[in-house]
Amino acid sequence: MAKAGGIMTTLSFRDALASDAPKLARLGARTFFETFGHLYDPADLAIFLASHAVAEWEKQLADPAFSIRVGEADGELGAYAKVGPPSLPFEPRGASTELRQFYVLKPWHGTGAAQELMTWVLDEAQRREARHLYLSVFTDNHRARRFYARDGFVEEGPYACMVGNQADEDIVMRLDL
């Protein structure tokens, strides 16, 4: 639960709808900026955040290759996870899927929201008959790395993640299902 206007609210989880595209665009940009905005030149950040444009979300919400789960409280999104085909620069080991994005706003950190989303991610990967689930995480995002490790993800190796014109070192992690 998190406080919203002084009232404790709980996120309710559901599959994303096409009409969620504007909310997902705002949430994706907000969570990335909230967590990493201080690391980047504004021009690089703007280039990267274009991937959270409403039109991009509309395409992915209409594409059956993607599954998106949202957590909502009082009509606003506070968390989401997106699963889709592998896109990271690595050679997947057999039937694989990728956790493309996993964001929880700070008011819901420590409430169990992230674990509930991760349970859905694991179920979705198994529904897709994946043998391996991959994700990437910023090297210095120690909180996220610990969270993924608790669920059994292991480091596969580093890669350069571009944020605008800035190359960051991310770590590809893998979970054998």
Side-chain angles (χ1 to χ4, degrees):
M1 293 199 289
K3 286 191 177 186
I7 300 169
M8 294 303 283
T9 59
T10 301
L11 291 176
S12 298
F13 292 90
R14 62 174 174 79
D15 292 339
L17 306 169
S19 60
D20 288 324
K23 290 180 180 181
L24 282 161
R26 285 192 305 274
L27 178 59
R30 179 178 169 191
T31 53
F32 191 85
F33 186 81
E34 184 179 86
T35 306
F36 305 112
H38 65 285
L39 299 174
Y40 302 106
D41 176 89
D44 288 328
L45 192 58
I47 292 168
F48 180 82
L49 292 178
S51 67
H52 288 284
V54 173
E56 290 301 313
W57 280 108
E58 289 172 338
K59 282 187 226 172
Q60 291 178 5
L61 287 163
D63 186 342
F66 292 94
S67 296
I68 302 164
R69 186 90 170 156
V70 298
E72 183 175 38
D74 302 323
E76 291 299 320
L77 300 185
Y80 76 91
K82 177 171 40 174
V83 174
S87 66
L88 294 166
F90 64 92
E91 188 64 38
R93 300 177 186 197
S96 300
T97 195
E98 182 181 325
L99 173 54
R100 294 284 192 95
Q101 292 171 343
F102 191 95
Y103 291 136
V104 178
L105 286 175
K106 286 184 181 180
W108 286 278
H109 286 189
T111 66
Q115 193 56 58
E116 186 161 342
L117 268 180
M118 183 54 73
T119 298
W120 173 83
V121 167
L122 298 175
D123 289 347
E124 179 61 19
Q126 290 178 347
R127 187 191 70 75
R128 292 168 177 249
E129 299 180 350
R131 303 266 319 176
H132 309 282
L133 176 62
Y134 290 88
L135 61 83
S136 70
V137 61
F138 180 51
T139 301
D140 291 333
N141 190 344
H142 301 290
R143 178 186 177 101
R145 289 175 60 191
R146 285 190 306 271
F147 174 76
Y148 297 132
R150 279 194 307 267
D151 278 307
F153 284 87
V154 296
E155 292 184 13
E156 184 82 359
Y159 88 103
C161 176
M162 296 304 295
V163 178
N165 296 305
Q166 180 175 326
D168 284 336
E169 184 174 289
D170 274 22
I171 297 171
V172 174
M173 298 183 82
R174 182 191 81 251
L175 177 66
D176 296 331
L177 300 168

